Structure formats: C-alpha cells, structure tokens
Amino acid sequence: KGVDHIAMLTPTLLQGYPDIQIVLAGPPDDACGLYAQELLMPFVSEFPGRLFVCPEFFMMPAEVRRGAHFCFAPSISEPFGYVDVEFGLLGVPTVGCAVGGLGKMP
C-alpha cells in the first residue's frame, strides 16, 4: 500500500540521521510490501539496533509505539486504517496521505 516508499528512503535516512530508528512491522500484504521487505533486509545488518524488520504479526508493546516521534503511513490505498488510530490513541501523530480511512486522527 506504499511501504515501498519508506523502504527506498530508509538507507538515506539512516545514513544521514544517526540518531533515528526505523521499525517495519507486520507481514507484507501486497507486492509493495514484499518489495519493501526485499529492499530492507540487506540493511538490517548494516544498521544494527537502528533498523528492525519483522515480517510477521506480533504484539508491539504500547511503550514502543508511545516512544515513536511519528508514524509514517504512506498508503496509496487504505480502506479504513488501524495504524493511525493505534498510534493516535497514544498521542503519536501519523504522517501520510489523506486517502481512504487515513486522516481520522487529529
């Protein structure tokens, strides 16, 4: 749904901003997600502790979500969208496109 855009920017972001961490969590649900996973996996070992890629469902602790500065959701198609709600309820803003269900959280 657009996560490949994040994947293409990730090496540049990690090289240019040494204090950031990027987390990509959840199984890919389309070709863009598979492509993103393929792009990111080689960089996990290059940026230990700064790039986390988990292609499976898991319970992300609220502390991890609450500790985020923002949630980047570059969806090009989003029928409802839970991610922005989950982060928004913890006070973390979502940066993304106002498509479909995104944009519900102030």
Side-chain angles (χ1 to χ4, degrees):
K1 297 181 191 174
V3 72
D4 54 320
H5 299 293
I6 297 172
M8 288 184 269
L9 287 171
T10 294
T12 301
L13 291 171
L14 291 171
Q15 289 166 355
Y17 301 91
D19 294 332
I20 69 167
Q21 295 176 321
I22 296 177
V23 176
L24 179 67
D29 61 353
D30 62 7
C32 294
L34 289 171
Y35 180 55
Q37 181 179 328
E38 183 179 306
L39 287 173
L40 290 176
M41 289 309 288
F43 292 107
V44 171
S45 60
E46 187 177 334
F47 298 100
R50 297 185 55 216
L51 176 61
F52 176 73
V53 178
C54 181
E56 301 171 3
F57 278 118
F58 71 97
M59 179 60 75
M60 183 182 293
E63 293 80 21
V64 173
R65 289 177 286 172
R66 192 176 294 116
H69 292 276
F70 65 88
C71 172
F72 187 33
S75 296
I76 54 174
S77 163
E78 189 63 60
F80 176 73
Y82 286 107
V83 172
D84 60 329
V85 173
E86 290 175 9
F87 279 87
L89 290 172
L90 296 170
V92 177
T94 296
V95 176
C97 302
V99 296
L102 288 177
K104 297 174 297 303
M105 298 301 294

